[in-house]
Amino acid sequence: MNAASAPVTFYVVRHGQTEYNLNLVQGWCNAPLTEAGVRDARACGRGLARAGVEFAAAYSSDLGRAVQTLSELLAARTEEAPELAVPPRMQDARIREWCYGDLEERPGTCMRDALNAGFGRDMPFEELNVRLPETADAIKWYDPSGKAEGWEEIARRLRGFYHDVAREVAEAGGGNVLVVTHSFVIRSTMYLLDPARVNDPMKIENASVTHVRYEDGAFTLGEAGSTRYLAD
């Protein structure tokens, strides 16, 4: 196998809990991690260290909660296993959360009202996930600011990120890539790779890990939303 086809595995981590996660729509606006969020980020770092996972690179979105999660995760990983190499860290705006426009920093009930207006009825969460492109487009349609993203915008930036990073790492010999991002970015990744699994699991927990494999030019979805790395 030549370097250009060396496999790459993404360890895609949802950021730690923030105050906004408790009852507000977050999107592109920022809030720092709660104590529980810091604790879970560090627990994930220790768990990855105990599993002996090496990383060729580490990425976060450029939003503060993802940057903070990556910092806490890597610090705890180094404390647990100082012999593991510290990967180069980068930020990439393409793995930001969905932009929700004027819905951001408002109660979650406002998001529900927007979706009910877009679909013309109350939709269960499972069906919203199955119809994820329509869900994004309904939010964009409802948003008077014009800032909210439609599905094609979201899908384009995520595909670009995964393809660019996978090719770069594969050409350098392959390996693992740590990615700290957001719940609907992870849900969108699942939908793009294997839409039949979009509801498995139903909730992407904070500091959970989803695996994405790149090999021979193709991406596959592995374990999704796993909390097994959350060390005691």
Side-chain angles (χ1 to χ4, degrees):
M1 178 180 293
N2 60 38
S5 61
V8 178
T9 299
F10 292 86
Y11 285 66
V12 186
V13 179
R14 185 187 176 194
H15 64 80
Q17 182 195 73
T18 73
E19 290 289 348
Y20 283 11
N21 285 159
L22 301 177
N23 56 18
L24 297 178
V25 177
Q26 193 153 22
W28 284 11
C29 62
N30 268 315
L33 302 187
T34 61
E35 289 184 11
V38 171
R39 185 170 60 247
D40 286 346
R42 293 182 64 82
C44 184
R46 290 194 301 274
L48 290 167
R50 292 175 189 178
V53 182
E54 293 276 11
F55 291 108
Y59 286 83
S60 73
S61 92
D62 60 340
L63 298 177
R65 59 195 184 274
V67 175
Q68 186 183 3
T69 297
L70 180 58
S71 293
E72 295 288 355
L73 188 160
L74 288 177
R77 175 178 176 269
T78 296
E79 291 167 11
E80 184 72 24
E83 71 277 7
L84 295 176
V86 179
R89 292 173 48 175
M90 288 152 280
Q91 297 176 23
D92 198 311
R94 292 177 294 179
I95 50 174
R96 281 185 172 195
E97 182 60 289
W98 289 16
C99 180
Y100 301 115
D102 280 357
L103 290 170
E104 295 186 5
E105 297 186 284
R106 298 174 66 186
T109 53
C110 295
M111 176 72 80
R112 172 59 64 181
D113 291 343
L115 291 169
N116 289 351
F119 284 101
R121 63 182 177 90
D122 189 21
M123 298 274 281
F125 188 67
E126 298 93 328
E127 189 171 354
L128 290 170
N129 288 340
V130 169
R131 300 172 66 176
L132 205 60
E134 295 169 79
T135 298
D137 289 344
I139 295 169
K140 182 177 177 64
W141 167 82
Y142 183 88
D143 175 39
S145 75
K147 297 176 183 176
E149 299 177 286
W151 175 251
E152 285 306 317
E153 296 169 271
I154 295 165
R156 186 182 308 114
R157 62 180 170 91
L158 295 185
R159 287 191 184 105
F161 170 79
Y162 284 111
H163 279 91
D164 288 352
V165 174
R167 284 195 291 264
E168 180 179 345
V169 175
E171 289 170 2
N176 302 315
V177 178
L178 178 62
V179 176
V180 178
T181 184
H182 308 268
S183 60
F184 267 83
V185 167
I186 297 170
R187 189 76 67 188
S188 301
T189 299
M190 294 168 65
Y191 184 91
L192 288 168
L193 296 181
D194 192 348
R197 292 181 56 196
V198 72
N199 281 315
D200 182 20
M202 274 298 303
K203 180 174 173 56
I204 306 295
E205 299 285 353
N206 293 104
S208 64
V209 178
T210 295
H211 293 122
V212 173
R213 177 84 166 176
Y214 175 81
E215 190 167 9
D216 297 329
F219 290 90
T220 54
L221 178 66
E223 186 176 24
S226 173
T227 57
R228 66 185 174 93
Y229 295 103
L230 294 180
D232 294 332

